[in-house]
Amino acid sequence: VEIPVLCNCQRNTQSAAQCYQWVFFVSMERSRFEGELLQARKRAESALNQLQISESALKQSLRDKEALIKEVHHRVKNNLQVIASLLRLESGRSQVCEVRSVLGDMRNRIHTMSTLHESLYRSETSATINLASYLRQLSTQAFQSQSTGSGGVGLQQNLESVQVGMDQAVTCGLLVNELISNCFKHAFPPGTSGLVTVNLQPLEAAGHWRLSVSDTGVGLADDFEEKRQHSLGLQLADDL
């Protein structure tokens, strides 16, 4: 009778020992796992903190560069305006009509580039510019400066918004300035009236736009081809 009891006690003692060993093993594994998890969390928090510091530094560097670029555009605009003012003063001193005309054309071209830098200075990004807004401002200023004595001539603007780079904006601005200038020089003799229209519209082909300047004036003179060979403005328009 005693032998089975002793056997059962031995078996129970062995089971209890094995159970204790298993619980101790699980506890050790859990502690090790929690320790590794805590270390991984600390490493992740440290890496995240470094990323936040780097991101903040990059944002500050970007703000500094954008401010520098805007300041460059602002100073270039001011320098161009100084040059335009000097040309205006020199034009006022000259008694020769041809010289005054040439100096006036030069001043208008410089003013075209000055307006571009002013638009870039005021825009949210210095990489691109809204061409419609730029041409609207430019054509209005060019029209006002050259329409003296042509009160019967009006300006119509049909401009759709599109973002372009600085090089494209300079080309389009100079082209519009030259064409508006030629409209007043050749299309509207003194005492006549009419309309100058500036159009910027998208074409059916994706990414293609049409920029045009037209007028309702007297049309091209018979000796237009001969005159264009000696006109810097028309040569510049052809090159653009």
Side-chain angles (χ1 to χ4, degrees), residues 15-32:
S15 297
Q18 291 175 354
C19 181
Y20 174 76
Q21 290 177 357
W22 182 81
V23 170
F24 180 75
F25 174 76
V26 171
S27 178
M28 290 292 293
E29 287 295 313
R30 180 178 178 180
S31 298
R32 183 174 64 83

Side-chain angles (χ1 to χ4, degrees), residues 75-121:
R75 294 192 179 189
V76 171
K77 180 205 70 170
N78 290 342
N79 291 337
L80 290 173
Q81 287 180 342
V82 170
I83 296 174
S85 297
L86 292 174
L87 290 174
R88 179 177 58 81
L89 293 174
E90 191 64 30
S91 175
R93 294 177 54 190
S94 176
Q95 302 298 322
V96 182
C97 294
E98 289 79 3
V99 173
R100 297 177 63 178
S101 177
V102 170
L103 292 177
D105 291 340
M106 293 176 61
R107 186 177 69 252
N108 290 333
R109 291 165 189 148
I110 292 174
H111 191 267
T112 297
M113 293 180 282
S114 173
T115 303
L116 172 63
H117 285 282
E118 181 180 3
S119 299
L120 288 170
Y121 172 71

Side-chain angles (χ1 to χ4, degrees), residues 116-214:
L116 172 63
H117 285 282
E118 181 180 3
S119 299
L120 288 170
Y121 172 71
R122 298 182 183 278
S123 66
E124 296 181 357
T125 173
S126 299
T128 60
I129 186 175
N130 188 317
L131 184 60
S133 298
Y134 169 57
L135 292 181
R136 185 174 293 107
Q137 179 183 1
L138 174 66
S139 59
T140 299
Q141 293 174 347
F143 182 83
Q144 292 174 349
S145 66
Q146 300 183 51
S147 61
T148 304
S150 301
V153 180
L155 174 65
Q156 182 177 358
Q157 300 165 320
N158 303 316
L159 305 171
E160 294 289 335
S161 296
V162 59
Q163 295 291 128
V164 300
M166 182 175 177
D167 292 340
Q168 290 177 306
V170 169
T171 301
C172 294
L174 289 172
L175 184 59
V176 168
N177 178 76
E178 293 300 331
L179 294 177
I180 290 179
S181 175
N182 278 281
C183 286
F184 283 100
K185 287 181 180 179
H186 307 293
F188 302 105
T192 61
S193 61
L195 184 67
V196 176
T197 304
V198 182
N199 284 300
L200 177 63
Q201 302 293 328
L203 300 178
E204 293 183 358
H208 291 72
W209 290 68
R210 175 182 287 119
L211 173 62
S212 65
V213 178
S214 59

Side-chain angles (χ1 to χ4, degrees), residues 109 174-175 177-178 231-240:
R109 291 165 189 148
L174 289 172
L175 184 59
N177 178 76
E178 293 300 331
S231 172
L232 177 61
L234 292 176
Q235 291 178 16
L236 182 60
D238 287 339
D239 293 339
L240 293 174

